[in-house]
Amino acid sequence: MLHRQPAGAAANPGLLPLIGRTPLARITTELPLSHPGFWAKLECLGAGGMKARAALSMLRGARRRGELRPGAPVVESTSGTLGIGLAFAGQALGHPVVLIGDIELEPSMRQLLRSYGARLELVDRPEPEGGWQAARIARLHQVLARTPDAYWPDQYNNPDNAAGYASMAAELRDQLDHLDILVCSVGTGGHSAGLVGPLRRRWPRLKVIGVDSVGSAIFGQPARPRLMRGLGSSIHPRNVAHHLFDEVHWVGPAEAVDACRRLARTNFVSGGWSTGAVALVSAWAARVEAGAVVATVFPDGPHRYLGTVYDDDFCHAHGLDTAELRVRPLELVHPRAAEAVGWARCRRVLDPTPPPPSRLPAPTRTPGGAA
C-alpha cells in the first residue's frame, strides 16, 4: 500500500515561481540544409521541464473539484517527461507520486525520478494492442485499486493538461511581435491544444504544423513499436485537437538524432527525440515559407538522452548512424496512403479517434480519481 506523505515532507509552495518564464532562442543551425532561422522556447530552463506546467494544472484542478484530497497520492503512467513534472508538482503541493513506467525507460531517468521522491513501477512486456502505453495503463488500474484515495490525472484525456499551457501562450505573446507558423510535437496533445487557441486569437492567420513519430497512431498511421519516447502514441488521446492542425509531419528516429546532434554541436541548445523532430520541421518551414516567423517548443534538454540520442553505441545498434536521411519530407496525399517510415508530410489531417459510445453516459471523475 502507498503511504501518505511522510511526516516532515510537507508541501513546498516556494517551488511554484520556478515554473515557466523560459527564454526564446534563435536557431540557425543547418537542419540539414540552411534556413533563415526560427524561434525555440527552451522549456528545459524551467523547473520540472515543459510538463511541470501540465502537471501542476492537473493537480490543482483536481484539488479544486475535490477529486484530490490534501496529502493523497497521485498515480500516473509516463514514458518519463511527465513524471518529472509530476514529481515537481507533487513536492510543491504535498502529494506523494507513484509512476507507472516500462522497462524501456532509460536507467538514468529511473534514477532521476526516484531521486525526486517518486515511487516507480515498471511493466515488463507490451500489450499486443496498444503496446507499452496499454500495458502501463493496465498496471495503473491495478495500483489505483489497491491505493486508497489515489488520484489518476489521466494526462491523455484530461483537459487540465491543455489548460496548463496558458502561461506558455502568454509568454509567447509577450516575447514575439508576430508569429506566422507554430510547430508542435504531439504526444498527449496537451501543449498544442493549450497554445493554439490563445495564439490564434492574437494572430488569426497562424498556421499550425503537428509533428508526430513514425509508428504513431495519432494521425491515422498504423501503430508500430517506436524507438522514440515521448513523441507519438499507440492510443488515441482525447486531448489531441486534430482540427487545430493545418498539416502533420512524421519524423523518424535517425532524422531526430541527426537534428539533435547538429543542434548540440553548433548551437549549444538541444534536447531529445521531440526536440530533434520539431527542429527539423521548423527549419524546413522557415526555408519553404519565405519571410515567415516560425516558432516551436523544445520540451526538455539533452540530459536524459545521453544513453540514447547522444550514445554512439545505441545509435549504431539501431542502425541510426547508417540510415538514409531525407532533406525534405515525402509528400503523402492522405495519412493512410502509405506508411511513413521516415520524414513524411501530409496536408490532410485525419482524426482517427473512435467516437464515444452514444448509449453510455460520459464518465465522471470520483474523489478517488477513477473514471
Side-chain angles (χ1 to χ4, degrees):
M1 181 180 295
L2 180 66
H3 296 287
R4 294 251 180 133
Q5 195 86 334
N12 185 1
L15 293 173
L16 297 177
L18 302 179
I19 289 184
R21 301 173 180 85
T22 53
L24 281 177
R26 186 69 177 172
I27 308 297
T28 56
T29 299
E30 293 186 357
L31 293 166
L33 305 177
S34 61
H35 59 93
F38 61 89
W39 294 104
K41 189 127 174 80
L42 306 183
E43 286 295 283
C44 64
L45 298 182
M50 179 178 81
K51 292 202 174 181
R53 300 181 192 252
L56 184 61
S57 176
M58 290 189 288
L59 298 196
R60 279 176 160 170
R63 285 160 62 104
R64 284 195 304 269
R65 294 186 296 271
E67 298 168 8
L68 174 60
R69 296 188 176 100
V74 174
V75 183
E76 183 59 289
S77 160
T78 180
S79 61
T81 308
L82 181 74
I84 297 293
L86 279 173
F88 179 92
Q91 284 193 31
L93 300 180
H95 296 278
V97 173
V98 58
L99 301 170
I100 313 301
D102 58 67
I103 59 173
E104 292 195 350
L105 186 64
E106 303 93 331
S108 60
M109 180 56 74
R110 302 182 198 183
Q111 294 163 2
L112 188 59
L113 291 169
R114 288 172 175 142
S115 297
Y116 284 140
R119 173 180 147 195
L120 187 61
E121 291 200 15
L122 301 177
V123 296
D124 59 6
R125 66 186 64 184
E127 292 288 337
E129 293 187 14
W132 288 113
Q133 281 175 301
R136 295 198 305 263
I137 294 297
R139 174 69 66 84
L140 181 146
H141 284 294
Q142 295 173 6
V143 174
L144 287 174
R146 67 174 186 258
T147 310
D149 291 337
Y151 172 70
W152 173 30
D154 189 9
Q155 60 168 318
Y156 307 106
N157 304 301
N158 188 339
D160 288 332
N161 180 339
Y165 295 101
S167 60
M168 186 191 293
E171 291 167 25
L172 284 168
R173 290 196 303 264
D174 290 341
Q175 291 168 319
L176 292 168
D177 294 327
H178 182 71
L179 183 60
D180 296 298
I181 300 173
L182 178 68
V183 178
C184 290
S185 59
V186 185
T188 68
H191 89 275
S192 54
L195 290 180
V196 176
L199 294 182
R200 276 191 171 145
R201 285 193 287 274
R202 176 70 173 270
W203 298 294
R205 301 184 68 178
L206 178 67
K207 178 178 181 179
V208 180
I209 300 176
V211 180
D212 200 1
S213 165
V214 298
S216 166
I218 291 177
F219 291 99
Q221 286 272 303
R224 302 284 188 238
R226 301 190 315 280
L227 190 61
M228 298 194 284
R229 300 181 68 79
L231 180 64
S233 178
S234 300
I235 60 177
H236 297 122
R238 290 198 299 271
N239 278 336
V240 177
H242 295 82
H243 66 282
L244 297 178
F245 296 97
D246 295 287
E247 64 180 78
V248 61
H249 290 233
W250 295 271
V251 175
E255 291 143 343
V257 164
D258 179 70
C260 284
R261 292 188 172 209
R262 286 174 181 269
L263 288 169
R265 284 195 305 270
T266 63
N267 211 85
F268 206 78
V269 168
S270 193
W273 303 109
S274 296
T275 293
V278 296
L280 176 69
V281 175
S282 297
W284 170 86
R287 186 167 60 249
V288 301
E289 299 280 355
V293 178
V294 180
T296 191
V297 179
F298 287 1
D300 57 9
H303 303 93
R304 72 167 283 195
Y305 307 97
L306 298 181
T308 54
V309 171
Y310 301 95
D311 185 88
D312 290 343
D313 291 337
F314 175 91
C315 291
H316 181 71
H318 291 89
L320 305 184
D321 54 349
T322 57
E324 181 180 353
L325 302 177
R326 291 180 177 147
V327 298
R328 57 185 56 83
L330 176 69
E331 298 281 345
L332 299 182
V333 296
H334 188 277
R336 290 178 173 153
E339 183 171 349
V341 295
W343 186 12
R345 169 198 184 206
C346 187
R347 283 177 278 187
R348 178 172 179 179
V349 179
L350 177 68
D351 180 357
T353 309
S358 57
R359 292 177 294 178
L360 296 178
T364 57
R365 291 178 174 271
T366 66

